[in-house]
Amino acid sequence: MPDFIHKSKVYYNPVEFALDRIGGAWKMPILWRLKDRVMRYNELKKDIPHVTHKMLTTQLRQLEEEGFINRTVYPVVPPKVEYSLTERGLRAIPVVEVIRNYGLELMAEFGVEPGKK
Amino acid sequence: MPDFIHKSKVYYNPVEFALDRIGGAWKMPILWRLKDRVMRYNELKKDIPHVTHKMLTTQLRQLEEEGFINRTVYPVVPPKVEYSLTERGLRAIPVVEVIRNYGLELMAEFGVEPGKK
DNA sequence: CTGGATCCGATTTGATACTG
DNA sequence: CAGTATCAAATCGGATCCAG
């Protein structure tokens, strides 16, 4: 597997490339929540446990910049901003689902319990 | 999605749990190479481009500790150590494959070329 | 050949304060 | 409500040296 460059970063394999787009602790959880509905910033903030303001905004910016989500600003006061999946974001969902299900399997194997909401 | 704890770290969702086991830049490439054969340390080292000694050893230790790979030491000089997939590692392969294929798709979309080799 | 340990700079992240 | 900027802490990764 050869090297290739994207946005001035060198990648060594397709897995690394994919995980740099939708990996990390928050991107898949964000995409997953936008799976079947549009959400406002604060909705995401409240729905994703423990994500900090900074992390949520930077991850949203990156997902937007790479074409996974749309950011729609309504010129009203107070501000209203909605996030939704793009075509590309939609195509990521099945992958997220595979990883998510695998995570649930692993958790069962390791004996960790999701607990209650 | 509730919180849960594994090895004194708090997780917030199954995706994060899964990626902490097999995510990062090197773990999937390692698992992928052990998919259909046993490999020695130096084989992996030579076969995975740009991985450093430190990264390869730490990732191998973690994969071993979490039960994804076996480490077999042959008491000879010079040392001979072989790595192979466990049952659990084998079950991770389909997931790796999904992400790998998705990475290849994304690369095509973004117009990056794997180059030759 | 395989692996551990250490140093140290680079990157990432959390907390906090400030804005229209 | 949504977002930016800044600072310090924490983590990560590469280079290097030593060892059985």
Side-chain angles (χ1 to χ4, degrees), chain B residues 52 54-55 79:
Chain B
T52 62
K54 181 177 183 175
M55 282 298 95

Side-chain angles (χ1 to χ4, degrees), chain A residues 68-88:
Chain A
F68 290 91
I69 63 177
N70 295 122
R71 177 167 176 270
T72 310
V73 181
Y74 296 88
V76 297
V77 296
K80 176 178 175 181
V81 180
E82 286 184 340
Y83 293 94
S84 59
L85 289 188
T86 61
E87 254 301 308
R88 174 175 292 159

Side-chain angles (χ1 to χ4, degrees), chain A residues 52-55 59 79:
Chain A
T52 63
H53 180 43
K54 181 177 185 175
M55 280 299 95
Q59 304 302 294

Side-chain angles (χ1 to χ4, degrees), chain A residues 1-2 12, chain B residues 26 29-30 32-34 37 39-51 56 117:
Chain A
M1 189 61 52
Y12 308 128
Chain B
W26 306 113
I30 291 170
W32 187 251
R33 276 165 179 81
L34 297 178
R37 71 188 188 95
M39 291 181 81
R40 295 182 58 170
Y41 175 84
N42 251 10
E43 284 187 282
L44 286 167
K45 181 76 172 62
K46 287 171 186 162
D47 204 48
I48 303 179
H50 301 91
V51 71
L56 184 53
K117 164 55 177 304

Side-chain angles (χ1 to χ4, degrees), chain A residues 37-55:
Chain A
R37 70 190 189 95
V38 167
M39 290 181 81
R40 296 181 60 169
Y41 175 85
N42 254 7
E43 285 187 281
L44 286 167
K45 181 76 172 64
K46 287 171 187 162
D47 205 46
I48 303 179
H50 301 91
V51 71
T52 63
H53 180 43
K54 181 177 185 175
M55 280 299 95

